[in-house]
């Protein structure tokens, strides 16, 4: 009897992405989408593409949403994707082989992300190994508001084929993403009890640009590499400035 593979996706206002994501997961035995109360057609499109859809009205963070999706999976193995990620035919074949052999309890895979249409092979964005495939019952997601991770009980292997990721199609997407993520990360900083000063954002923001553009060879990614370095620096700057303001307001 072959092992069953469940794909889980969390989404909110991803009508422009959800069909492409689910199409790339057609090789899975089950596709589950947890919609975080979208204002667009995300849930309807997911159902139309054969996914089992659960809609939640309360957003409690990425980790919580993914653990909810995980609790709905019934397969022997689970593959977790974001709506802006895609599985190639090559990666799909490698995933099927991995779960059949079962040499590890989970698998990382390299992720190739694009920024304004350009694949970013430097800037700290590649190979960017992410743990997305695991045996059900042997792993769960951390409860972080953002940048959650998979916590696995057992050895972790690595796949070779890359997961493709399209987080920033336009520069406007980068600005919106930066605002959302910096707010969530600032909340995490404040909740952890860390104290940051006004100058923390200035220093960390500048250092992030240096790291992205020079140390991580972002200049080899062309003009888009420069745009990404600036966006990363701004995200860091606003994260710590928001944390400083929240801490100041809380006394």
């Amino acid at each position: 009897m072959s092992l069953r593979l469940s794909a889980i996706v969390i989404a909110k206002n991803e009508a422009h992405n959800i069909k492409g994501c689910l199409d790339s997961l057609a090789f899975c035995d089950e596709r589950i989408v947890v919609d975080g109360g979208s204002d667009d057609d995300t849930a309807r499109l997911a159902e139309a593409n054969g996914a089992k859809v659960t809609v939640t009205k309360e957003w409690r963070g990425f980790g919580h949403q993914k653990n909810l999706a995980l609790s709905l999976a019934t397969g022997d193995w689970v593959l977790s994707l974001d709506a802006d990620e895609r599985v190639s035919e090559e990666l799909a074949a490698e995933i099927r082989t991995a779960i059949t052999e079962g040499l590890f309890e989970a698998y990382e895979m390299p992720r190739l992300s694009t920024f304004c249409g350009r694949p970013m092979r430097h800037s700290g964005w590649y190979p960017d190994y992410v743990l997305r495939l695991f045996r059900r019952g042997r792993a769960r997601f951390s409860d972080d508001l953002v940048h959650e991770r998979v916590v696995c009980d057992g050895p972790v292997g690595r796949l070779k084929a890359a997961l493709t990721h399209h987080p920033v199609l336009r520069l406007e997407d980068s600005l919106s993403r930066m605002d959302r993520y910096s707010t969530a990360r600032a909340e995490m900083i404040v909740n952890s009890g860390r104290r940051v000063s006004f100058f923390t954002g200035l220093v960390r923001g500048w250092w992030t640009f240096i790291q992205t553009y020079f140390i991580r060879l972002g200049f080899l990614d062309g003009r888009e590499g420069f745009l990404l370095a600036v966006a990363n620096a701004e995200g860091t700057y606003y994260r710590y400035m928001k944390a400083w303001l929240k801490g100041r307001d809380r006394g």
Side-chain angles (χ1 to χ4, degrees):
M1 184 176 180
S2 61
L3 297 172
R4 296 183 71 252
L5 174 62
S6 296
I8 60 174
V9 181
I10 68 167
K12 183 174 182 179
N13 295 331
E14 294 284 359
H16 59 295
N17 268 324
I18 196 65
K19 183 180 185 303
C21 177
L22 292 174
D23 285 348
S24 78
L25 294 170
F27 69 98
C28 298
D29 301 292
E30 175 182 58
R31 294 173 296 171
I32 295 169
V33 173
V34 172
D35 180 271
S38 295
D39 298 322
D40 60 14
D41 287 336
T42 298
R44 183 185 64 80
L45 290 172
E47 287 182 337
N49 278 272
K52 300 176 182 177
V53 179
T54 296
V55 177
T56 63
K57 296 183 184 284
E58 181 183 6
W59 178 262
R60 294 173 58 186
F62 287 88
H64 179 270
Q65 292 290 101
K66 289 192 175 183
N67 277 322
L68 172 58
L70 176 58
S71 72
L72 300 173
T74 62
D76 303 283
W77 285 78
V78 176
L79 175 63
S80 173
L81 249 64
D82 292 333
D84 56 4
E85 295 174 333
R86 307 287 183 269
V87 176
S88 66
E89 292 184 5
E90 181 184 7
L91 178 56
E94 194 175 1
I95 287 172
R96 275 298 181 190
T97 298
I99 66 176
T100 299
E101 294 177 345
L103 300 178
F104 298 91
E105 297 300 316
Y107 291 87
E108 295 179 333
M109 56 195 73
R111 182 169 63 172
L112 179 61
S113 299
T114 63
F115 186 86
C116 294
R118 175 170 180 148
M120 307 299 284
R121 298 188 178 275
H122 306 90
S123 305
W125 270 29
Y126 186 79
D128 185 28
Y129 282 97
V130 289
L131 199 165
R132 294 302 180 80
L133 177 67
F134 51 88
R135 198 187 302 270
R136 188 167 65 91
R138 298 305 303 272
R140 62 177 179 79
F141 295 92
S142 64
D143 290 324
D144 297 320
L145 288 174
V146 67
H147 292 170
E148 71 295 335
R149 69 191 189 283
V150 176
V151 181
C152 177
D153 299 323
V156 177
R158 276 190 173 178
L159 304 181
K160 295 180 180 179
L163 177 69
T164 56
H165 184 212
H166 306 287
V168 180
L169 300 178
R170 308 169 302 158
L171 195 56
E172 291 89 336
D173 299 330
S174 176
L175 297 174
S176 174
R177 181 184 177 90
M178 174 184 64
D179 184 43
R180 295 195 313 272
Y181 277 73
S182 63
T183 297
R185 292 296 296 274
E187 190 69 29
M188 290 173 64
I189 291 173
V190 173
N191 291 340
S192 71
R194 290 173 56 192
R195 297 183 63 85
V196 297
S197 72
F198 176 83
F199 296 99
T200 304
L202 297 175
V203 174
R204 296 245 182 178
W206 175 245
W207 176 239
T208 297
F209 178 86
I210 297 297
Q211 278 186 314
T212 304
Y213 196 65
F214 294 106
I215 298 176
R216 295 172 178 167
L217 307 181
F219 59 88
L220 294 178
D221 286 320
R223 295 171 181 174
E224 291 84 359
F226 180 81
L227 290 176
L228 175 59
V230 171
N232 283 352
E234 287 186 324
T236 301
Y237 168 79
Y238 284 116
R239 178 199 317 164
Y240 284 99
M241 285 303 183
K242 288 177 181 180
W244 172 70
L245 288 170
K246 285 178 180 290
R248 184 202 64 179
D249 294 342
R250 292 183 185 181

